[in-house]
Amino acid sequence: MIEKQIKTWFRRSILQWNLNKNDRKMPWKGIKDPYKIWLSEIMLQQTRVEQGMGYYNRFIKAFPTVHSLAQSSENQVFKLWEGLGYYSRCSNLIETAKKVSFELGGRFPESREGLLSLKGVGPYTAAAIGSFAFGLPLAVLDGNVMRVLSRVLGIKEPVDQPAVKKKMELLAADLLDEKNPALYNQAIMDFGAVVCKPQQPDCKNCPFQKKCYAFQHGMQAMLPAKSKKIKNRERFLYYLILEHKGKQLVRKRTGNDIWRGLYEFVLMEKDEPQELKTLQNFSNWGLPSVGINKQVVEVSEEIVHQLTHQKIKCQFIHISIDRLINVDGYAWHSKAAIRQFPLPRLLTRYLGW
Ligand code: SF4
C-alpha cells in the first residue's frame, strides 16, 4: 500500500499536468461510446497512436456501429485492417462484434468480468472501456503507465515478470483517483506518452522531478527494468506468383499465425536462403510440373521486412504457365479480384498496391 500523502501528491500532480499542459489530441479521447473506445483500444495494442489513427477513422466511417461491423464480411474487415499487423486482433474484433451485436443486443457489458469475457479484451482493455465508457474505478496498466510508476516509485524488479506485473497492477489500482477514473487514466497514459517517454523523458518540465526516484538516481534509462531478451527470428519466405491468362493462384491463410485470414501466393518457407534454380523447379513447391510450359516473368530482389520480433527476407518468383493447374487449398483469381482481398503488407509492398 502506498502512503496516503504520496497518493495525494501523485494524483494531484498528474491531474494538474493534465489540466494545464496536456494538449495530446486523439479522435477517441473523451468519448463515452464503448464501441468506439473498444475499437480504438484494440487497434492501439502493439501499434503507435499515429499509425492507428487513420485506421480508426476509416473503420468508424465504414462501420459506424457495432451492428454494422458484425454484419460485414470478414474479407471487408480484414481489407481495412491490411497493414496494421497482428491480424489475430482483427479476428477477435469480428468475433466480439458478432457477440455484442447478436447476443448482447448491441450493448457492451458494464462490468469488468463481462468485458473480460469478450474475445481479445484483457485486463488493460477492460479497464479502459470500463473507466472511459462507464466510469468504473478500474486502473489501466499499459506500457506508458508501467514506465511512469517504475520510474517515479523506483521499482527496480523486471516488469515483464508476472509477480512484478501483479505488484504494478496493485500499485496502479491504489493510485487511481476513484472519483475520476476516466480522467485520471487518460492523464497518466498521456503523461507516459509525451513526458515520461521511453527515450529522453522530459524531466526538466516534469511535475514529479523533485521526488522521482529515477530522476534523483539518474536511472531513467534503466527503468522500467526488463529480464527477457526476446530473440529476433529470421525467416526466408519465397512466393511463387503463378499466372495463366491474367489469373493468379492464391489461398486464404488459415492456422494460428500472424497472417491468418489474409491471402497469399504459393509459399515456400525456409530457415536458410534458397538458390534460384531450386525455386524455379516446381517439384520443390509440391506442384505438378510434367507437360507444363513455363516462362519466368520476373524474379524480385530480396525484400527485407522487419516485424517486431522477426526479420523476414522475402523473394517473389513470377512465372507464367500455359495451363491452369489444381493445387490443394489454392484457387485461381483475376488480379482485380486479388486486389480486393486482404493481403499482408509484404505482398502489397511488392505489388505496389
Ligand atoms: Fe519521468 Fe523524468 Fe518525470 Fe521521472 S522526472 S517521471 S523520469 S519525466
Side-chain angles (χ1 to χ4, degrees), residues 147-148 151-152 191 195-197 201-210 212-215 220:
R147 188 166 56 253
V148 175
R151 284 177 176 169
V152 176
F191 179 80
V195 180
C196 195
K197 300 170 284 185
D202 189 8
C203 301
K204 223 165 59 187
N205 297 306
C206 175
F208 291 119
Q209 199 203 66
K210 283 204 180 83
C212 170
Y213 185 93
F215 180 77
Q220 296 97 318

Side-chain angles (χ1 to χ4, degrees), residues 303-342:
I303 297 171
V304 179
H305 190 69
Q306 185 68 55
L307 298 172
T308 315
H309 301 301
Q310 292 183 24
K311 185 186 249 182
I312 293 179
K313 294 187 170 173
C314 178
Q315 207 171 4
F316 292 85
I317 298 96
H318 188 165
I319 292 180
S320 160
I321 53 177
D322 65 345
R323 64 183 171 93
L324 293 178
I325 53 173
N326 286 327
V327 183
D328 254 9
Y330 288 84
W332 292 92
H333 291 279
S334 69
K335 285 187 228 171
I338 294 171
R339 202 174 177 139
Q340 298 308 313
F341 293 154

Side-chain angles (χ1 to χ4, degrees), residues 95-96 99 104 109 111-121 126:
E95 194 174 325
T96 288
K99 179 169 177 179
L104 305 177
S111 67
R112 181 176 191 267
E113 292 64 36
L115 288 164
L116 285 173
S117 73
L118 302 175
K119 194 93 195 242
V121 174

Side-chain angles (χ1 to χ4, degrees), residues 219-232:
M219 289 181 70
Q220 296 97 318
M222 283 165 251
L223 298 177
K226 299 226 170 107
S227 58
K228 276 190 217 143
K229 273 236 172 297
I230 298 170
K231 251 179 92 188
N232 241 327

Side-chain angles (χ1 to χ4, degrees), residues 11-19 177 180 183-184 187:
R11 285 177 196 151
R12 193 177 295 148
S13 303
I14 279 287
L15 292 174
Q16 271 177 6
W17 170 84
N18 185 55
L19 185 68
D177 182 344
N180 291 304
L183 191 70
Y184 172 88

Side-chain angles (χ1 to χ4, degrees), residues 1-18:
M1 285 287 275
I2 301 169
E3 280 173 43
K4 194 172 171 215
Q5 213 184 346
I6 296 184
K7 279 197 269 197
T8 309
W9 162 74
F10 189 92
R11 285 177 196 151
R12 193 177 295 148
S13 303
I14 279 287
L15 292 174
Q16 271 177 6
W17 170 84
N18 185 55

